[in-house]
Amino acid sequence: MKIFLLEDDYSLNKLIYNALSQRGFFVTAVEDGYDAMTHILNNKYDLYILDINVPGFSGHEVLAEIRKIHHDLPVIIVSAELDIDNISKAYDLGCNDYLKKPFELEELILHIKYHIKTILQSDIDKDIIDLGSGLKFHLNTQTLHKHDHEITLTQKEKLLLTLFINNINKTVTSEMIHEYVWDNKEMESVSMRSMIHKLQKKLRNGMIVNIRGVGYKLIENELK
């Protein structure tokens, strides 16, 4: 799962980044609103964490831009601004949560888990996904094991497998893969096919099927 973090306090930025990364999230962290706008206009994330008072575009402006593109993805504001006007403006612009600084990192984790469960309808506390035939994917560490032996995955393969698991029995289009795994960066179609093929070889035969001309699908009845 991909999380975007905008926080201009370097130390807090790193603390949050490390805490989330250790729990298996793929985190993009920036310290100013200019970088934030560049990333959100060119990439898709599952959840956003935004400070308000940052250099460049404010967290409010970044939030407004996110809502132009994504109406239903969770956005958590983390800010030392405690006056009701700032809080009200954040909710008016479409934030889902407002966490006041200072806060415990574990408190932020609890808020993230809540929004993943209620909005994204996923459960990150369900750590181990049983793929059958001794294959297990650990969501918290983004590792794949077969009979307790770890199968090496590249970062893109981890993102791809996570995307498939979050969309079991649903077609994952080539556009979704390009956006989620490659961050919409330029790539050749052969690169996607090559990575799909490599991931298929690390799983059981027939688990990932090609939906010709559209994309791919992880079949639930093959997860037995």
Side-chain angles (χ1 to χ4, degrees):
M1 186 162 288
K2 296 171 69 176
I3 292 181
F4 181 81
L5 169 65
L6 169 60
E7 170 57 64
D8 70 328
D9 183 312
Y10 178 82
S11 296
L12 181 57
N13 187 303
K14 293 304 177 187
L15 281 173
I16 295 174
Y17 176 89
N18 290 333
L20 296 181
S21 297
Q22 288 168 6
R23 287 165 172 80
F25 294 108
F26 296 93
V27 185
T28 296
V30 301
E31 298 177 29
D32 66 72
Y34 296 122
D35 281 346
M37 284 293 195
T38 299
H39 280 84
I40 67 171
L41 289 173
N42 292 286
N43 307 296
K44 180 182 177 182
Y45 303 92
D46 299 299
L47 183 144
Y48 300 82
I49 303 170
L50 309 175
D51 190 5
I52 291 178
N53 288 326
V54 295
F57 295 104
S58 71
H60 284 143
E61 291 172 302
V62 174
L63 170 58
E65 197 62 38
I66 290 171
R67 283 297 176 241
K68 290 178 183 178
I69 307 168
H70 306 296
H71 302 292
D72 54 356
L73 293 179
V75 179
I76 300 173
I77 297 293
V78 292
S79 178
E81 294 291 342
L82 305 182
D83 63 281
I84 194 64
D85 289 339
N86 268 299
I87 297 173
S88 177
K89 183 176 182 179
Y91 279 108
D92 287 343
L93 289 170
C95 82
N96 300 92
D97 210 345
Y98 195 105
L99 192 56
K100 300 176 182 179
K101 296 179 182 177
F103 54 82
E104 297 290 335
L105 284 176
E106 205 54 44
E107 183 182 2
L108 175 61
I109 299 296
L110 290 173
H111 283 254
I112 290 171
K113 287 182 178 180
Y114 172 79
H115 291 297
I116 288 174
K117 184 173 292 187
T118 58
I119 299 176
L120 300 180
Q121 298 184 345
S122 181
D123 189 356
I124 63 173
D125 286 329
K126 185 180 179 182
D127 178 30
I128 301 175
I129 304 297
D130 190 346
L131 303 177
S133 299
L135 283 166
K136 294 181 179 180
F137 186 61
H138 296 247
L139 286 169
N140 282 347
T141 57
Q142 300 290 302
T143 53
L144 179 66
H145 292 79
K146 184 169 185 177
H147 301 302
D148 297 325
H149 173 72
E150 183 174 347
I151 299 173
T152 303
L153 296 175
T154 66
Q155 181 167 341
K156 281 185 169 57
E157 287 172 344
K158 291 178 181 180
L159 284 168
L160 179 60
L161 185 52
T162 300
L163 181 62
F164 279 135
I165 287 174
N166 288 334
N167 292 277
I168 290 175
N169 265 352
K170 300 177 183 177
T171 298
V172 176
T173 66
S174 298
E175 290 75 17
M176 290 169 64
I177 296 172
H178 184 203
E179 181 179 55
Y180 196 80
V181 179
W182 270 271
D183 288 334
N184 275 329
K185 294 175 182 175
E186 185 176 345
M187 57 159 283
E188 297 181 3
S189 58
V190 67
S191 298
M192 183 182 299
R193 292 196 299 270
S194 175
M195 190 177 71
I196 294 284
H197 179 66
K198 288 177 181 178
L199 183 59
Q200 285 173 322
K201 290 175 66 176
K202 295 177 180 181
L203 301 175
R204 288 189 297 116
N205 187 42
M207 288 181 65
I208 300 174
V209 297
N210 182 13
I211 310 301
R212 189 174 297 277
V214 181
Y216 301 85
K217 182 185 293 187
L218 185 65
I219 305 296
E220 185 176 22
N221 60 16
E222 293 295 333
L223 304 184
K224 305 297 181 184

